[in-house]
Amino acid sequence: MTTAERTTAERTTTAQGIGSSPRRPDGVVKVRGEFAYSSDLWHEDMVWGVTLRSPHPSARIRGIDITDALRVPGVQAVLTHEDVPGVNRYGLEHPDQPVLAVDVVRYQGEPVALVAADHPETARRAAGRIRVDYEVLDPVTDAEQAVRGDGPKVHPNGNVVRHVPIRRGDPSATAEVVVSGVYEVGMQDQAFLGPESGLAVPAEDGGVDLYVATQWLHVDQRQIVAALGLPGDKVRLTLGGVGGAFGGREDLSIQIHACLLALRTGKPVKMVYNREESFYGHVHRHPAKLYYEHGAGRDGKLVYVRARIFLDGGAYASSTSAVVANAATLGVGPYDADNVVVDCWGAYTNNPPCGAMRGFGAVQAAFAYESQMDKLAAACGLDPVEVRVRNAMSEGSRMPTGQIVDSPAPVAELVRRVAAKPLPPEPSGERDLRTLPGGVSNTTHGEGVVRGVGYAVGIKNICFSEGFDDYSTARVQLRVVGGEAAATVQTAACEVGQGLVTVLQQIVRTELGVEQVAILPADTSIGNAGSTSASRQTYVTGGAVRAACLAVRAALAGRLGVGGEVDLVGGKVVSTRDGVVADLVEVLGDDVIDETVEWRHRPTDVLDPETGAGNAHVQYGFAAHRAVVDVDTELGLVKVVALDCAQDVGRALNPQAVLGQIQGGSAQGLGLAVMEEIQTLEGKIRNPSFTDYLIPTVLDMPPMDIDVLELADPNAPYGLRGVGEPPTISSTPAIVAAIRAATGKELPRVPVRPEHIVS
């Protein structure tokens, strides 16, 4: 260990620095209900905005009459596509979505018109008086048929958003043991508790200030300025309080609409979706149909994997292109296979638009390949754990894209760890109803209840991929406040509940040795920080803040003319060559050391369009689960009894937050396994409410015994590895594997419904 490394290791043991679990600055106010979310924003003279949405998944618009809406007392403005001053198109990756529909609508809920009024109910009444003449068309609802070209085109250029082929080794390889299956994954919702909301305030310079709950301020800004026809400096965004995200806030919702109304009325405009509108107003997880074939030797060692994956992107592209790439490149899972043929398509349909959600393409693929691994174990007469261990990739393994995994990949160890954990005791005697399937509904006292155990392991890329210029900007200032050195940090990184603010404070305390660290509100007055997604913010914005702190220390060294590296410990300036050289407060005096850094991780490659070859990803994360379930085989009800996990996090910067991420990700995986699905019929959502769209509660979540491995990635800041997504990936197939073990049913679809078990 070098002197600098030793100093860093010593710093991380200090209170409140990395490796500790300090209290979150937003924790107490959130628990008390005092935290200001974006839906709490208020302005004295504000008006309310409302969106009129299409009731049809597919239709031509023959005319729009806003006359009756304008006659409603209190109405300030009614806007249609003719009132969009700039480009009437936006999109996260491809600008293919109208701000307001022009001549067609492509999904139920597509925005058609906007209303601003002095009261939200007045705005809603006025919106109900807008007359839209629709010619209803037959919707395209099957993604596989859409890819084949069966039926009408959703967009003029066809129904394929993207096709990613992966080719490695011999495409015609044969094997002694062959297992195959067709799998389906339903449409899951991010189900954040804080609905879409924001406040747009017109400015004296002809621009607008927007306060909004989002995941990516600068990409929002880019799309807004195009639609408004304004220069970038006239549209300023500040992050409002965010009540959950999970990918659903990467795309625009109220952003352009509120700004349009604010500029038209000259007044601040507040927009807040109700729960039903929220289900229509944001993207969801892509439903998928997956065809898999695995070939192996009698010993269970994989010879080949072949797959065809169809992802339903819905009416507009959103992030479908990237989701397709993830599902394809990660489609074999964390296993070594010399011969791979994978084709993944993303399709346009008239179903609700789909985009980013935690796990981002890897979730769908993992359900299929883990189901296949269980089939392979049965065909070879192996234990499900053993077949995974025999095929587990490790550091130095080669991905199907040809990329070398050049950091720890402890797949076998993760699986062995969860397998070695004690199982929950078998039930005996009179059972508490709360521990049984059906709970206090008193459906059973244990009759017909069978226990099952299942395993799964998953792989996820961390950070953005495929040559994307993935960076973050951080500004760190060091000054004296109240006689003590204090730091201020500014980034545009969005805190969406994951604890980023806490981690950034920990990094600054570690690198600058100060306890007072203020994190300024995220806004667009500083450079881009990228999206709060892809498990990337601690890696990329954490890396940027660390680099800015190092720049501050270098500036101090230059000011003092000190040789060697300078460190800040206990209020002293310490040189690695000369020891303690100065008191920090005395050196700073009335001055401010101010450093801004733009920090990037190592570059990635665009996939080869023919073979899928390339170093597409920055880093890989791994997690394994063992699930124990009790199943009422007569009623098809499931109780998850235990959901144990092992995950490598590289370095736990905040151990308590790491556990929270693993627990939260596992809860969303449980939801997809047994309850969560947006159900559609001919393109229409049937259950847009928390009455009918069910999410796990505290009573549904079982105890979790979690092992956290810290095997450092040498390429990452502090050796860390993104944490948030991997547990969502492996939890779903582990639970379904346990239900299969209890019932003997094939269960090729999630979520598993009671009728799948009892039929």
Side-chain angles (χ1 to χ4, degrees):
M1 180 181 288
T2 67
T3 303
E5 289 170 334
R6 190 180 304 111
T7 305
T8 298
E10 291 167 356
R11 284 200 307 272
T12 61
T13 63
T14 62
Q16 310 293 299
I18 64 171
S20 66
S21 298
R23 175 179 287 185
R24 289 178 54 144
D26 58 345
V28 172
V29 289
K30 284 181 174 176
V31 170
R32 289 178 175 170
E34 298 168 354
F35 183 80
Y37 291 97
S38 61
S39 55
D40 297 315
L41 293 167
W42 197 266
H43 203 286
E44 288 184 0
D45 57 344
M46 73 182 187
V47 296
W48 296 79
V50 165
T51 305
L52 177 70
R53 298 177 179 275
S54 166
H56 308 294
S58 180
R60 291 190 182 92
I61 297 176
R62 292 184 292 212
I64 303 174
D65 186 351
I66 64 173
T67 306
D68 287 348
L70 288 169
R71 290 173 177 158
V72 175
V75 168
Q76 305 284 318
V78 180
L79 307 182
T80 68
H81 67 90
E82 295 177 346
D83 301 297
V84 178
V87 179
N88 189 31
R89 282 285 186 276
Y90 72 95
L92 188 61
E93 295 182 8
H94 307 289
D96 64 348
Q97 187 163 355
V99 175
L100 294 170
V102 181
D103 52 355
V104 298
V105 290
R106 295 184 173 92
Y107 71 98
Q108 182 195 27
E110 179 153 357
V112 176
L114 305 172
V115 176
D118 56 9
H119 191 279
E121 288 303 322
T122 302
R124 279 189 275 272
R125 282 203 319 273
R129 295 192 180 188
I130 298 173
R131 299 291 172 252
V132 184
D133 182 9
Y134 293 106
E135 178 190 350
V136 179
L137 305 173
D138 292 333
V140 175
T141 58
D142 186 291
E144 187 176 356
Q145 291 180 0
V147 167
R148 289 201 304 258
D150 298 346
K153 293 180 179 180
V154 178
H155 289 267
N157 292 331
N159 294 337
V160 176
V161 181
R162 187 182 184 188
H163 168 223
V164 173
I166 305 292
R167 301 288 185 269
R168 184 181 176 208
D170 181 2
S172 303
T174 60
E176 296 176 282
V177 179
V178 176
V179 295
S180 61
V182 182
Y183 305 95
E184 293 185 50
V185 175
M187 184 186 295
Q188 187 180 18
D189 190 72
Q190 296 85 355
F192 40 71
L193 298 185
E196 290 82 352
S197 54
L199 178 70
V201 182
E204 292 182 358
D205 65 356
V208 63
D209 293 287
L210 177 65
Y211 305 84
V212 65
T214 181
Q215 289 178 243
W216 195 347
L217 290 164
H218 282 82
V219 159
D220 286 6
Q221 182 189 46
R222 183 195 72 200
Q223 297 172 87
I224 296 167
V225 298
L228 299 183
L230 292 174
D233 61 354
K234 291 294 182 70
V235 178
R236 298 163 290 268
L237 275 68
T238 300
L239 183 67
V242 181
F246 315 112
R249 298 188 199 271
E250 270 203 327
D251 293 77
L252 299 187
S253 56
I254 64 96
Q255 284 91 326
I256 299 175
H257 296 166
C259 291
L260 284 171
L261 290 170
L263 292 174
R264 172 59 69 91
T265 62
K267 295 183 177 182
V269 172
K270 180 173 180 176
M271 296 187 78
V272 180
Y273 290 173
N274 61 27
R275 182 57 57 189
E276 180 176 345
E277 186 174 15
S278 181
F279 274 98
Y280 294 116
H282 65 253
V283 297
H284 317 287
R285 188 187 299 287
H286 291 72
K289 191 167 187 178
L290 311 98
Y291 297 82
Y292 266 77
E293 181 177 296
H294 282 56
R298 294 288 177 191
D299 61 356
K301 287 282 289 181
L302 285 171
V303 175
Y304 70 81
V305 176
R306 298 182 189 126
R308 289 179 296 124
I309 302 170
F310 297 91
L311 298 173
D312 187 344
Y316 296 101
S318 181
S319 56
T320 293
S321 293
V323 174
V324 167
N326 269 15
T329 58
L330 306 176
V332 175
Y335 304 113
D336 288 325
D338 291 333
N339 306 293
V340 175
V341 176
V342 173
D343 287 281
C344 185
W345 292 270
Y348 285 122
T349 68
N350 293 120
N351 290 320
C354 291
M357 185 175 173
R358 194 178 200 163
F360 203 79
V363 165
Q364 296 90 328
F367 175 63
Y369 65 65
E370 284 301 276
S371 300
Q372 285 286 102
M373 294 303 285
D374 283 339
K375 280 189 178 182
L376 183 60
C380 295
L382 294 172
D383 181 84
V385 170
E386 181 59 27
V387 78
R388 289 171 169 82
V389 169
R390 290 188 184 186
N391 290 286
M393 65 168 44
S394 57
E395 186 170 1
S397 289
R398 189 178 294 273
M399 295 292 293
T401 59
Q403 182 171 6
I404 300 295
V405 180
D406 61 357
S407 64
V411 176
E413 181 179 357
L414 295 174
V415 178
R416 288 192 181 108
R417 278 179 175 257
V418 293
K421 292 181 180 296
L423 286 164
E426 288 288 340
S428 61
E430 186 69 21
R431 296 185 63 179
D432 186 329
L433 290 177
R434 291 170 295 181
T435 69
L436 287 164
V440 293
S441 60
N442 202 25
T443 58
T444 180
H445 287 253
E447 311 89 351
V449 174
V450 181
R451 177 157 291 184
V453 180
Y455 298 88
V457 58
I459 180 174
K460 176 66 175 65
N461 65 305
I462 308 298
C463 298
F464 292 155
S465 304
E466 284 200 272
F468 190 92
D469 186 15
D470 191 7
Y471 68 92
S472 184
T473 311
R475 181 185 187 189
V476 174
Q477 296 174 305
L478 187 63
R479 56 166 59 86
V480 176
V481 177
E484 295 183 17
T488 302
V489 179
Q490 183 183 12
T491 78
C494 296
E495 165 66 67
V496 300
Q498 82 279 33
L500 178 67
V501 167
T502 313
V503 168
L504 297 185
Q505 288 179 322
Q506 290 177 256
I507 290 171
V508 175
R509 289 176 182 136
T510 297
E511 298 298 340
L512 298 185
V514 299
E515 289 302 315
Q516 295 187 58
V517 182
I519 309 295
L520 297 181
D523 61 29
T524 52
S525 68
I526 189 171
N528 201 339
S531 173
T532 297
S533 60
S535 304
R536 65 178 288 281
Q537 281 294 9
T538 299
Y539 191 125
V540 183
T541 297
V545 169
R546 179 176 181 269
C549 288
L550 295 179
V552 167
R553 283 159 49 186
L556 272 173
R559 175 177 294 192
L560 292 170
V562 174
E565 278 195 34
V566 162
D567 198 2
L568 305 179
V569 180
K572 306 295 183 182
V573 182
V574 182
S575 164
T576 55
R577 189 188 70 182
D578 304 320
V580 176
V581 294
D583 182 88
L584 179 58
V585 170
E586 292 180 359
V587 172
L588 289 171
D590 295 330
D591 294 340
V592 178
I593 297 180
D594 188 340
E595 297 291 338
T596 300
V597 171
E598 201 173 79
W599 189 87
R600 287 169 168 80
H601 57 61
R602 56 182 176 166
T604 56
D605 298 337
V606 176
L607 292 172
D608 182 276
E610 302 297 326
T611 66
N615 294 332
H617 300 306
V618 177
Q619 185 189 64
Y620 296 98
F622 304 92
H625 279 85
R626 183 189 67 190
V628 181
V629 303
D630 282 347
V631 182
D632 184 332
T633 57
E634 296 173 357
L635 293 179
L637 302 178
V638 176
K639 174 71 174 180
V640 182
V641 177
L643 188 58
D644 301 323
C645 181
Q647 182 171 338
D648 173 30
V649 304
R651 176 75 183 277
L653 270 60
N654 184 313
Q656 191 173 63
V658 164
L659 292 176
Q661 286 291 306
I662 294 172
Q663 291 163 343
S666 300
Q668 287 189 305
L670 184 153
L672 179 59
V674 295
M675 62 182 73
E676 291 191 47
E677 182 179 9
I678 292 180
Q679 298 184 28
T680 61
L681 181 64
E682 293 301 307
K684 292 187 175 183
I685 298 177
R686 302 176 64 196
N687 57 334
S689 73
F690 281 163
T691 300
D692 299 311
Y693 182 91
L694 304 180
I695 59 175
T697 69
V698 67
L699 294 178
D700 297 298
M701 274 302 291
M704 291 191 68
D705 185 353
I706 299 171
D707 282 0
V708 174
L709 278 66
E710 296 188 70
L711 306 177
D713 179 347
N715 302 296
Y718 305 112
L720 69 86
R721 199 179 303 277
V723 176
E725 292 173 286
T728 305
I729 295 162
S730 49
S731 49
T732 297
I735 292 168
V736 178
I739 302 171
R740 290 192 190 109
T743 64
K745 299 283 188 177
E746 187 173 359
L747 303 178
R749 188 186 191 281
V750 286
V752 176
R753 300 176 185 165
E755 61 265 30
H756 300 155
I757 295 171
V758 301
S759 60

